Structure formats: structure tokens, C-alpha cells
Amino acid sequence: KQFSGIKATSQPVVEVFCLKEDELIDTLDQLLADGGIAGVIVNTVKRSQEFAQACRAHFGEEAVEVLHSSFIATDRIEKEKELLKAIGKDAERPHKKIIVGTQVMEQSLDIDFDLLVTDLAPMDLLIQRIGRLHRHPLCNRPPKVDTPKVFVMGINPTFDFEPGSLSIYGEYLLMRTQLLLPDKIYLPDDISPLVQAVYGDDDYFITK
């Protein structure tokens, strides 16, 4: 795939990688070997629970937090406060933490991940999620996550998308996002062209 409608002219740059679900634990293990804060944002509550369970089994209960829309409002607000205290602006960040959640993490929360893993979603929502990656200027990020990297799960050459994602977002937007998703995203220059290309009806930008 190739997105040819953008000239990369500004920093920062976010590197984009495809990730298979069964590679998640090994990838987190490798990149968080020296510490760091990883966000794992998936499209359904069920998937967040399943991935959180897998992460806890490998990294331990204390290393993993969960935030999704099925928590009652008071519990969710308390969890959000705890996250802001731990990984918000000017927070005293823990050595290693994995935050697993759903779309509630892409909205309004001023939190900062060293590393982001996300389900495939429409381009504008992916960019919102990326907005939590290296959000604040920090000089002490662990070396393996000192540059912004996002790993996208659910990319499929035959467009056989994960059923939960498909039911929420539909095949068309997921397909166009997959086709137009570049290997690097330059912020903020690429935001508007990428979103317009995905939501437009012109296939000029898609080169197979």
C-alpha cells in the first residue's frame, strides 16, 4: 500500500507497524524490557478483558490496569483519576505499566504512553489514539521506546476483519484505513490529508 497525497515536512514522526495478536505479549516483553508505559487500545470490552488477562498472566497483576466503558461511572472516574496521577502530565511514572482499554482511552484523557498497541479503527480514531503516544515532552523514556511507535492489530490482506471491529466500524472504513495507513505519520501535517482521504470517495490516493 502507498499513500501518496502527503509530503512529510514536520516532526514528530510516528512509526507504524503491523502486529499479529499472538505477537502482542512477546512484543510488549521485548520493548518494555527496560521499563516503560504501554497502552493497548482495542475495540470491544471483551477483547480488553481477554488481553488484560493475558498480560496479567505474563507480567503480573500489579503491572496491568484496565479501563473500558463497562465500568460503572463512579469506578471509571476513579480509574481515570488514578491513571492521570500515574501517567498524566508531570506524573511520577511507574517503572513499567500496561494499560489495556477501549475507546474511552482515546477521548479527553491527558495521559502519556511510551508505546501504543491498537486495534485497527477508522483513521481519525487511530490518530486520536496516537495522540496519547509521547504526548508530553519527557527526557527519560526507556531507550527501547524513546521514539513514538504504534503497533496496529487486525490488518489483514484479505480484509477479513475482527468481527467486533467490523460490527462497530463497518468494512468500508476499515478497508480504506488499512489501504491508506502509511509506515510513518508526521504530526500534525498528515492528520487532515489522511482523514480526508479515508472519508473521501476518490481512490486517487490508493496504489495497489
Side-chain angles (χ1 to χ4, degrees):
K1 64 181 183 297
Q2 180 181 357
F3 187 86
S4 57
I6 298 175
K7 293 182 178 180
T9 58
S10 66
Q11 295 292 329
V13 57
V14 178
E15 294 182 273
V16 180
F17 302 91
C18 300
L19 184 70
K20 296 178 180 178
E21 290 185 15
D22 59 6
E23 297 173 338
L24 173 64
I25 298 299
D26 287 345
T27 300
L28 292 175
D29 207 16
Q30 177 185 354
L31 293 177
L32 299 181
D34 301 320
I37 312 298
V40 180
I41 304 180
V42 293
N43 293 336
T44 66
V45 171
K46 181 181 179 182
R47 282 171 67 75
S48 72
Q49 294 168 334
E50 291 172 349
F51 283 122
Q53 183 178 7
C55 288
R56 283 171 169 159
H58 186 85
F59 296 99
E61 292 282 339
E62 293 299 318
V64 182
E65 299 290 341
V66 185
L67 181 66
H68 54 65
S69 58
S70 288
F71 285 110
I72 63 173
T74 52
D75 288 346
R76 198 171 102 189
I77 290 171
E78 189 60 33
K79 283 181 172 290
E80 289 175 352
K81 288 180 180 178
E82 291 174 1
L83 280 180
L84 287 170
K85 186 182 296 185
I87 59 171
K89 190 174 183 180
D90 300 323
E92 294 186 11
R93 299 164 71 84
H95 173 68
K96 182 185 294 185
K97 206 76 170 178
I98 300 167
I99 318 298
V100 184
T102 58
Q103 293 88 334
V104 297
M105 290 183 7
E106 76 193 21
Q107 302 166 358
S108 72
L109 276 180
D110 190 17
I111 54 178
D112 181 300
F113 298 133
D114 299 311
L115 168 71
L116 178 64
V117 178
T118 174
D119 274 343
L120 181 67
M123 187 70 73
D124 54 329
L125 302 183
L126 276 184
I127 290 173
Q128 283 188 26
R129 297 175 188 188
I130 289 170
R132 275 63 190 152
L133 178 62
H134 287 223
R135 186 173 180 86
H136 300 128
L138 300 177
C139 60
N140 59 343
R141 296 188 193 274
K144 292 187 178 182
V145 289
D146 63 353
T147 58
K149 299 179 180 69
V150 57
F151 291 80
V152 183
M153 298 187 295
I155 290 178
N156 190 302
T158 62
F159 306 116
D160 184 18
F161 298 118
E162 190 273 323
S165 301
L166 192 61
S167 66
I168 295 170
Y169 298 120
E171 183 181 46
Y172 180 75
L173 286 178
L174 293 177
M175 184 184 301
R176 287 186 68 90
T177 298
Q178 174 175 311
L179 287 168
L180 292 164
L181 187 64
D183 296 328
K184 294 181 180 180
I185 298 177
Y186 292 80
L187 301 175
D189 291 20
D190 290 357
I191 295 175
S192 179
L194 280 171
V195 173
Q196 289 182 34
V198 166
Y199 282 89
D201 57 6
D202 189 349
D203 290 338
Y204 171 78
F205 294 109
I206 300 177
T207 302
K208 295 183 179 179

